[in-house]
Amino acid sequence: DIQMTQSPSSLAASVGDRVTITCRASQGINNYLAWFQQKPGKAPKSLIYAASSLQSGVPSKFSGSGSGTDFTLTISSLQPEDFATYYCQQYKSYPFTFGPGTKVDIK
Amino acid sequence: EVQLVESGGGLVQPGGSLRLSCAASGFTFSDHYMDWVRQAPGKGLEWVGRIRNKANSYTTEYAASVKGRFTISRDDSKSSLYLQMNSLKTEDTAVYYCTRSGVDTTPYYFDYWGQGTLVTVSS
């Protein structure tokens, strides 16, 4: 199975900050990497697919990069509605696996 | 608008069975692969399994943790996805999400998610 790790596990940031979350796969997954946002009590929402493609309707403050084993999600200017938990996920091979999540809190 | 609405969750005893449903609308359900993903209380996301479309013979894939106990099926005439869960364990307690995926063998992500249904396995 492909193991996904994320760092940091949590962070505290202020409105307007630039935030970067890192995701690493235990083996190469090309660009078959997605990012999801989840708010408490809600279903996950797709943000990024194919490592760097923005899901329709998602604001351009979200961006993704990387290929192979190392990936990043960047939020260019954090807004109150962005405080949530973010998960990466590989869909290159079965079983599909998620990272443990990064919780973004208000500083 | 794509909508996925799960139902069928509830409280069940260990060793029991439960069948979840997911009603899809707003897209051509029969074209898409569909997946189930679960989330234990306070924990992360875990992929449960997939069913492919008719063009790919409705074949399925499962996570090792549920293989042999869970069965995914679909009824394209009703735009519905199902998850039959047997021999339930306390560790199956989770919110179960229905998700939409791609239309062929090209790797594709979970682009739409339902709101989830809670399954609690407890005596």
Side-chain angles (χ1 to χ4, degrees):
Chain A
D1 298 3
I2 298 175
Q3 309 302 319
M4 306 299 293
T5 57
Q6 288 181 234
S7 61
S9 55
S10 65
L11 65 92
S14 301
V15 172
D17 282 354
R18 180 182 181 89
V19 168
T20 298
I21 299 168
T22 297
C23 175
R24 177 166 288 174
S26 61
Q27 61 190 82
I29 57 171
N30 301 106
N31 68 336
Y32 299 128
L33 190 283
W35 289 96
F36 301 93
Q37 176 194 64
Q38 187 178 34
K39 297 180 180 179
K42 300 295 187 181
K45 172 188 171 184
S46 172
L47 296 177
I48 300 281
Y49 65 96
S52 60
S53 296
L54 201 63
Q55 171 77 1
S56 176
V58 172
S60 58
K61 61 182 172 181
F62 292 97
S63 64
S65 66
S67 185
T69 60
D70 294 313
F71 303 87
T72 61
L73 172 71
T74 299
I75 310 171
S76 60
S77 178
L78 203 64
Q79 296 302 305
E81 63 270 19
D82 302 328
F83 292 95
T85 299
Y86 294 85
Y87 295 93
C88 62
Q89 180 243 336
Q90 66 82 17
Y91 51 97
K92 181 179 187 292
S93 63
Y94 301 106
F96 300 138
T97 45
F98 291 85
T102 295
K103 187 176 182 183
V104 177
D105 280 323
I106 301 172
K107 182 183 285 184
Chain B
E1 178 194 6
V2 171
Q3 285 200 324
L4 300 169
V5 180
E6 301 93 337
S7 61
L11 175 63
V12 60
Q13 292 188 336
S17 298
L18 205 59
R19 188 197 197 205
L20 307 184
S21 300
C22 171
S25 60
F27 65 102
T28 304
F29 177 79
S30 59
D31 284 349
H32 287 264
Y33 293 15
M34 299 294 295
D35 294 70
W36 288 96
V37 175
R38 69 183 181 182
Q39 186 171 37
K43 303 297 185 182
L45 300 166
E46 179 188 18
W47 173 76
V48 172
R50 158 171 288 183
I51 187 165
R52 298 180 179 88
N53 52 20
K54 182 179 181 179
N56 289 279
S57 305
Y58 298 125
T59 52
T60 53
E61 305 285 346
Y62 296 96
S65 58
V66 306
K67 195 169 186 178
R69 300 187 299 123
F70 289 12
T71 302
I72 299 174
S73 61
R74 62 192 294 165
D75 185 338
D76 289 346
S77 69
K78 296 181 179 179
S79 296
S80 291
L81 175 72
Y82 305 101
L83 178 65
Q84 177 66 44
M85 304 184 293
N86 298 332
S87 303
L88 281 160
K89 306 175 182 180
T90 55
E91 53 263 41
D92 295 318
T93 294
V95 174
Y96 285 74
Y97 296 103
C98 164
T99 72
R100 190 183 83 163
S101 191
V103 298
D104 56 28
T105 58
T106 303
Y108 197 80
Y109 65 115
F110 308 137
D111 59 359
Y112 288 94
W113 296 60
Q115 87 288 348
T117 188
L118 175 62
V119 173
T120 303
V121 185
S122 175
S123 54

PDB file of all heavy atoms in Angstrom, chain A residues 5-32:
ATOM      1  N   THR A   5       1.869  10.818   3.992  1.00  0.00           N
ATOM      2  CA  THR A   5       2.134  11.591   5.197  1.00  0.00           C
ATOM      3  C   THR A   5       1.924  13.071   4.900  1.00  0.00           C
ATOM      4  O   THR A   5       2.053  13.510   3.745  1.00  0.00           O
ATOM      5  CB  THR A   5       3.561  11.367   5.714  1.00  0.00           C
ATOM      6  OG1 THR A   5       4.503  11.690   4.670  1.00  0.00           O
ATOM      7  CG2 THR A   5       3.766   9.915   6.120  1.00  0.00           C
ATOM      8  N   GLN A   6       1.582  13.832   5.925  1.00  0.00           N
ATOM      9  CA  GLN A   6       1.379  15.268   5.783  1.00  0.00           C
ATOM     10  C   GLN A   6       2.123  15.998   6.885  1.00  0.00           C
ATOM     11  O   GLN A   6       2.259  15.496   8.006  1.00  0.00           O
ATOM     12  CB  GLN A   6      -0.115  15.630   5.881  1.00  0.00           C
ATOM     13  CG  GLN A   6      -0.946  15.231   4.696  1.00  0.00           C
ATOM     14  CD  GLN A   6      -2.403  15.636   4.837  1.00  0.00           C
ATOM     15  OE1 GLN A   6      -3.296  14.792   4.700  1.00  0.00           O
ATOM     16  NE2 GLN A   6      -2.662  16.899   5.101  1.00  0.00           N
ATOM     17  N   SER A   7       2.594  17.189   6.557  1.00  0.00           N
ATOM     18  CA  SER A   7       3.184  18.043   7.575  1.00  0.00           C
ATOM     19  C   SER A   7       2.851  19.493   7.293  1.00  0.00           C
ATOM     20  O   SER A   7       2.744  19.901   6.123  1.00  0.00           O
ATOM     21  CB  SER A   7       4.699  17.847   7.641  1.00  0.00           C
ATOM     22  OG  SER A   7       5.288  18.194   6.409  1.00  0.00           O
ATOM     23  N   PRO A   8       2.614  20.277   8.367  1.00  0.00           N
ATOM     24  CA  PRO A   8       2.523  19.800   9.748  1.00  0.00           C
ATOM     25  C   PRO A   8       1.187  19.095   9.984  1.00  0.00           C
ATOM     26  O   PRO A   8       0.327  19.083   9.106  1.00  0.00           O
ATOM     27  CB  PRO A   8       2.611  21.099  10.533  1.00  0.00           C
ATOM     28  CG  PRO A   8       1.932  22.105   9.640  1.00  0.00           C
ATOM     29  CD  PRO A   8       2.308  21.722   8.239  1.00  0.00           C
ATOM     30  N   SER A   9       1.028  18.527  11.176  1.00  0.00           N
ATOM     31  CA  SER A   9      -0.260  17.910  11.512  1.00  0.00           C
ATOM     32  C   SER A   9      -1.283  18.987  11.885  1.00  0.00           C
ATOM     33  O   SER A   9      -2.489  18.795  11.727  1.00  0.00           O
ATOM     34  CB  SER A   9      -0.102  16.920  12.663  1.00  0.00           C
ATOM     35  OG  SER A   9       0.489  17.560  13.778  1.00  0.00           O
ATOM     36  N   SER A  10      -0.784  20.105  12.369  1.00  0.00           N
ATOM     37  CA  SER A  10      -1.640  21.247  12.653  1.00  0.00           C
ATOM     38  C   SER A  10      -0.809  22.514  12.586  1.00  0.00           C
ATOM     39  O   SER A  10       0.424  22.473  12.710  1.00  0.00           O
ATOM     40  CB  SER A  10      -2.301  21.118  14.031  1.00  0.00           C
ATOM     41  OG  SER A  10      -1.331  21.160  15.051  1.00  0.00           O
ATOM     42  N   LEU A  11      -1.501  23.616  12.371  1.00  0.00           N
ATOM     43  CA  LEU A  11      -0.834  24.913  12.355  1.00  0.00           C
ATOM     44  C   LEU A  11      -1.834  25.978  12.763  1.00  0.00           C
ATOM     45  O   LEU A  11      -3.043  25.827  12.571  1.00  0.00           O
ATOM     46  CB  LEU A  11      -0.232  25.210  10.983  1.00  0.00           C
ATOM     47  CG  LEU A  11      -1.186  25.375   9.802  1.00  0.00           C
ATOM     48  CD1 LEU A  11      -1.586  26.835   9.616  1.00  0.00           C
ATOM     49  CD2 LEU A  11      -0.549  24.852   8.511  1.00  0.00           C
ATOM     50  N   ALA A  12      -1.300  27.056  13.320  1.00  0.00           N
ATOM     51  CA  ALA A  12      -2.111  28.213  13.672  1.00  0.00           C
ATOM     52  C   ALA A  12      -1.645  29.384  12.814  1.00  0.00           C
ATOM     53  O   ALA A  12      -0.432  29.659  12.742  1.00  0.00           O
ATOM     54  CB  ALA A  12      -1.985  28.537  15.147  1.00  0.00           C
ATOM     55  N   ALA A  13      -2.579  30.023  12.168  1.00  0.00           N
ATOM     56  CA  ALA A  13      -2.240  31.119  11.262  1.00  0.00           C
ATOM     57  C   ALA A  13      -3.244  32.250  11.401  1.00  0.00           C
ATOM     58  O   ALA A  13      -4.354  32.056  11.931  1.00  0.00           O
ATOM     59  CB  ALA A  13      -2.195  30.611   9.827  1.00  0.00           C
ATOM     60  N   SER A  14      -2.867  33.397  10.904  1.00  0.00           N
ATOM     61  CA  SER A  14      -3.723  34.585  10.971  1.00  0.00           C
ATOM     62  C   SER A  14      -4.377  34.852   9.626  1.00  0.00           C
ATOM     63  O   SER A  14      -3.857  34.425   8.585  1.00  0.00           O
ATOM     64  CB  SER A  14      -2.889  35.806  11.387  1.00  0.00           C
ATOM     65  OG  SER A  14      -2.292  35.594  12.641  1.00  0.00           O
ATOM     66  N   VAL A  15      -5.491  35.566   9.675  1.00  0.00           N
ATOM     67  CA  VAL A  15      -6.138  35.977   8.429  1.00  0.00           C
ATOM     68  C   VAL A  15      -5.146  36.788   7.596  1.00  0.00           C
ATOM     69  O   VAL A  15      -4.449  37.657   8.120  1.00  0.00           O
ATOM     70  CB  VAL A  15      -7.404  36.802   8.726  1.00  0.00           C
ATOM     71  CG1 VAL A  15      -7.975  37.404   7.448  1.00  0.00           C
ATOM     72  CG2 VAL A  15      -8.458  35.930   9.411  1.00  0.00           C
ATOM     73  N   GLY A  16      -5.055  36.427   6.328  1.00  0.00           N
ATOM     74  CA  GLY A  16      -4.123  37.082   5.417  1.00  0.00           C
ATOM     75  C   GLY A  16      -2.802  36.363   5.246  1.00  0.00           C
ATOM     76  O   GLY A  16      -2.050  36.676   4.319  1.00  0.00           O
ATOM     77  N   ASP A  17      -2.520  35.397   6.115  1.00  0.00           N
ATOM     78  CA  ASP A  17      -1.268  34.650   6.008  1.00  0.00           C
ATOM     79  C   ASP A  17      -1.260  33.756   4.768  1.00  0.00           C
ATOM     80  O   ASP A  17      -2.303  33.308   4.285  1.00  0.00           O
ATOM     81  CB  ASP A  17      -1.054  33.764   7.236  1.00  0.00           C
ATOM     82  CG  ASP A  17      -0.562  34.529   8.447  1.00  0.00           C
ATOM     83  OD1 ASP A  17      -0.275  35.741   8.310  1.00  0.00           O
ATOM     84  OD2 ASP A  17      -0.468  33.911   9.529  1.00  0.00           O
ATOM     85  N   ARG A  18      -0.055  33.467   4.298  1.00  0.00           N
ATOM     86  CA  ARG A  18       0.155  32.459   3.265  1.00  0.00           C
ATOM     87  C   ARG A  18       0.490  31.147   3.971  1.00  0.00           C
ATOM     88  O   ARG A  18       1.358  31.111   4.838  1.00  0.00           O
ATOM     89  CB  ARG A  18       1.313  32.865   2.351  1.00  0.00           C
ATOM     90  CG  ARG A  18       1.623  31.889   1.225  1.00  0.00           C
ATOM     91  CD  ARG A  18       2.825  32.389   0.438  1.00  0.00           C
ATOM     92  NE  ARG A  18       3.190  31.537  -0.670  1.00  0.00           N
ATOM     93  CZ  ARG A  18       2.709  31.654  -1.899  1.00  0.00           C
ATOM     94  NH1 ARG A  18       1.823  32.609  -2.166  1.00  0.00           N
ATOM     95  NH2 ARG A  18       3.106  30.845  -2.871  1.00  0.00           N
ATOM     96  N   VAL A  19      -0.231  30.097   3.622  1.00  0.00           N
ATOM     97  CA  VAL A  19      -0.094  28.816   4.316  1.00  0.00           C
ATOM     98  C   VAL A  19       0.300  27.738   3.308  1.00  0.00           C
ATOM     99  O   VAL A  19      -0.278  27.660   2.214  1.00  0.00           O
ATOM    100  CB  VAL A  19      -1.427  28.424   5.008  1.00  0.00           C
ATOM    101  CG1 VAL A  19      -1.400  26.987   5.484  1.00  0.00           C
ATOM    102  CG2 VAL A  19      -1.709  29.373   6.164  1.00  0.00           C
ATOM    103  N   THR A  20       1.269  26.905   3.684  1.00  0.00           N
ATOM    104  CA  THR A  20       1.697  25.800   2.828  1.00  0.00           C
ATOM    105  C   THR A  20       1.658  24.500   3.619  1.00  0.00           C
ATOM    106  O   THR A  20       2.172  24.428   4.742  1.00  0.00           O
ATOM    107  CB  THR A  20       3.112  26.030   2.279  1.00  0.00           C
ATOM    108  OG1 THR A  20       3.104  27.213   1.466  1.00  0.00           O
ATOM    109  CG2 THR A  20       3.560  24.846   1.424  1.00  0.00           C
ATOM    110  N   ILE A  21       1.030  23.501   3.040  1.00  0.00           N
ATOM    111  CA  ILE A  21       0.934  22.161   3.626  1.00  0.00           C
ATOM    112  C   ILE A  21       1.644  21.190   2.684  1.00  0.00           C
ATOM    113  O   ILE A  21       1.483  21.262   1.467  1.00  0.00           O
ATOM    114  CB  ILE A  21      -0.538  21.747   3.801  1.00  0.00           C
ATOM    115  CG1 ILE A  21      -1.273  22.721   4.744  1.00  0.00           C
ATOM    116  CG2 ILE A  21      -0.649  20.321   4.311  1.00  0.00           C
ATOM    117  CD1 ILE A  21      -2.778  22.558   4.754  1.00  0.00           C
ATOM    118  N   THR A  22       2.408  20.281   3.269  1.00  0.00           N
ATOM    119  CA  THR A  22       3.187  19.329   2.488  1.00  0.00           C
ATOM    120  C   THR A  22       2.606  17.928   2.617  1.00  0.00           C
ATOM    121  O   THR A  22       2.155  17.524   3.696  1.00  0.00           O
ATOM    122  CB  THR A  22       4.645  19.335   2.957  1.00  0.00           C
ATOM    123  OG1 THR A  22       5.200  20.631   2.713  1.00  0.00           O
ATOM    124  CG2 THR A  22       5.469  18.290   2.233  1.00  0.00           C
ATOM    125  N   CYS A  23       2.628  17.207   1.525  1.00  0.00           N
ATOM    126  CA  CYS A  23       2.152  15.822   1.475  1.00  0.00           C
ATOM    127  C   CYS A  23       3.218  14.975   0.784  1.00  0.00           C
ATOM    128  O   CYS A  23       3.772  15.397  -0.244  1.00  0.00           O
ATOM    129  CB  CYS A  23       0.839  15.759   0.701  1.00  0.00           C
ATOM    130  SG  CYS A  23       0.163  14.106   0.409  1.00  0.00           S
ATOM    131  N   ARG A  24       3.517  13.819   1.339  1.00  0.00           N
ATOM    132  CA  ARG A  24       4.528  12.946   0.754  1.00  0.00           C
ATOM    133  C   ARG A  24       3.980  11.532   0.601  1.00  0.00           C
ATOM    134  O   ARG A  24       3.352  11.006   1.519  1.00  0.00           O
ATOM    135  CB  ARG A  24       5.789  12.930   1.608  1.00  0.00           C
ATOM    136  CG  ARG A  24       6.883  11.980   1.121  1.00  0.00           C
ATOM    137  CD  ARG A  24       8.203  12.274   1.795  1.00  0.00           C
ATOM    138  NE  ARG A  24       8.779  13.525   1.301  1.00  0.00           N
ATOM    139  CZ  ARG A  24       9.876  14.075   1.807  1.00  0.00           C
ATOM    140  NH1 ARG A  24      10.500  13.506   2.837  1.00  0.00           N
ATOM    141  NH2 ARG A  24      10.338  15.191   1.308  1.00  0.00           N
ATOM    142  N   ALA A  25       4.231  10.931  -0.547  1.00  0.00           N
ATOM    143  CA  ALA A  25       3.829   9.557  -0.814  1.00  0.00           C
ATOM    144  C   ALA A  25       5.016   8.621  -0.627  1.00  0.00           C
ATOM    145  O   ALA A  25       6.159   8.995  -0.919  1.00  0.00           O
ATOM    146  CB  ALA A  25       3.287   9.431  -2.232  1.00  0.00           C
ATOM    147  N   SER A  26       4.750   7.410  -0.159  1.00  0.00           N
ATOM    148  CA  SER A  26       5.834   6.454   0.115  1.00  0.00           C
ATOM    149  C   SER A  26       6.455   5.889  -1.160  1.00  0.00           C
ATOM    150  O   SER A  26       7.525   5.279  -1.125  1.00  0.00           O
ATOM    151  CB  SER A  26       5.320   5.316   0.997  1.00  0.00           C
ATOM    152  OG  SER A  26       4.273   4.613   0.332  1.00  0.00           O
ATOM    153  N   GLN A  27       5.788   6.068  -2.279  1.00  0.00           N
ATOM    154  CA  GLN A  27       6.349   5.718  -3.578  1.00  0.00           C
ATOM    155  C   GLN A  27       5.738   6.643  -4.620  1.00  0.00           C
ATOM    156  O   GLN A  27       4.762   7.341  -4.340  1.00  0.00           O
ATOM    157  CB  GLN A  27       6.084   4.253  -3.921  1.00  0.00           C
ATOM    158  CG  GLN A  27       4.638   3.877  -4.018  1.00  0.00           C
ATOM    159  CD  GLN A  27       4.429   2.369  -4.114  1.00  0.00           C
ATOM    160  OE1 GLN A  27       4.430   1.667  -3.117  1.00  0.00           O
ATOM    161  NE2 GLN A  27       4.261   1.879  -5.330  1.00  0.00           N
ATOM    162  N   GLY A  28       6.310   6.676  -5.786  1.00  0.00           N
ATOM    163  CA  GLY A  28       5.870   7.606  -6.810  1.00  0.00           C
ATOM    164  C   GLY A  28       4.432   7.389  -7.238  1.00  0.00           C
ATOM    165  O   GLY A  28       4.010   6.246  -7.451  1.00  0.00           O
ATOM    166  N   ILE A  29       3.690   8.498  -7.343  1.00  0.00           N
ATOM    167  CA  ILE A  29       2.289   8.413  -7.749  1.00  0.00           C
ATOM    168  C   ILE A  29       2.012   9.313  -8.961  1.00  0.00           C
ATOM    169  O   ILE A  29       0.887   9.713  -9.214  1.00  0.00           O
ATOM    170  CB  ILE A  29       1.333   8.782  -6.587  1.00  0.00           C
ATOM    171  CG1 ILE A  29       1.629  10.192  -6.039  1.00  0.00           C
ATOM    172  CG2 ILE A  29       1.436   7.746  -5.467  1.00  0.00           C
ATOM    173  CD1 ILE A  29       0.579  10.684  -5.046  1.00  0.00           C
ATOM    174  N   ASN A  30       3.066   9.619  -9.716  1.00  0.00           N
ATOM    175  CA  ASN A  30       2.934  10.554 -10.833  1.00  0.00           C
ATOM    176  C   ASN A  30       2.292  11.847 -10.302  1.00  0.00           C
ATOM    177  O   ASN A  30       2.786  12.422  -9.345  1.00  0.00           O
ATOM    178  CB  ASN A  30       2.137   9.925 -11.972  1.00  0.00           C
ATOM    179  CG  ASN A  30       2.785   8.662 -12.499  1.00  0.00           C
ATOM    180  OD1 ASN A  30       2.310   7.560 -12.232  1.00  0.00           O
ATOM    181  ND2 ASN A  30       3.874   8.790 -13.212  1.00  0.00           N
ATOM    182  N   ASN A  31       1.183  12.260 -10.896  1.00  0.00           N
ATOM    183  CA  ASN A  31       0.474  13.434 -10.369  1.00  0.00           C
ATOM    184  C   ASN A  31      -0.933  13.064  -9.908  1.00  0.00           C
ATOM    185  O   ASN A  31      -1.819  13.915  -9.842  1.00  0.00           O
ATOM    186  CB  ASN A  31       0.410  14.536 -11.427  1.00  0.00           C
ATOM    187  CG  ASN A  31      -0.476  14.162 -12.605  1.00  0.00           C
ATOM    188  OD1 ASN A  31      -0.687  12.979 -12.870  1.00  0.00           O
ATOM    189  ND2 ASN A  31      -1.007  15.148 -13.298  1.00  0.00           N
ATOM    190  N   TYR A  32      -1.139  11.787  -9.534  1.00  0.00           N
ATOM    191  CA  TYR A  32      -2.476  11.331  -9.144  1.00  0.00           C
ATOM    192  C   TYR A  32      -2.722  11.636  -7.671  1.00  0.00           C
ATOM    193  O   TYR A  32      -2.838  10.743  -6.815  1.00  0.00           O
ATOM    194  CB  TYR A  32      -2.635   9.840  -9.443  1.00  0.00           C
ATOM    195  CG  TYR A  32      -2.477   9.507 -10.906  1.00  0.00           C
ATOM    196  CD1 TYR A  32      -1.595   8.522 -11.326  1.00  0.00           C
ATOM    197  CD2 TYR A  32      -3.212  10.189 -11.881  1.00  0.00           C
ATOM    198  CE1 TYR A  32      -1.437   8.209 -12.672  1.00  0.00           C
ATOM    199  CE2 TYR A  32      -3.071   9.884 -13.232  1.00  0.00           C
ATOM    200  CZ  TYR A  32      -2.176   8.898 -13.611  1.00  0.00           C
ATOM    201  OH  TYR A  32      -2.024   8.599 -14.946  1.00  0.00           O
TER     202      TYR A  32
END
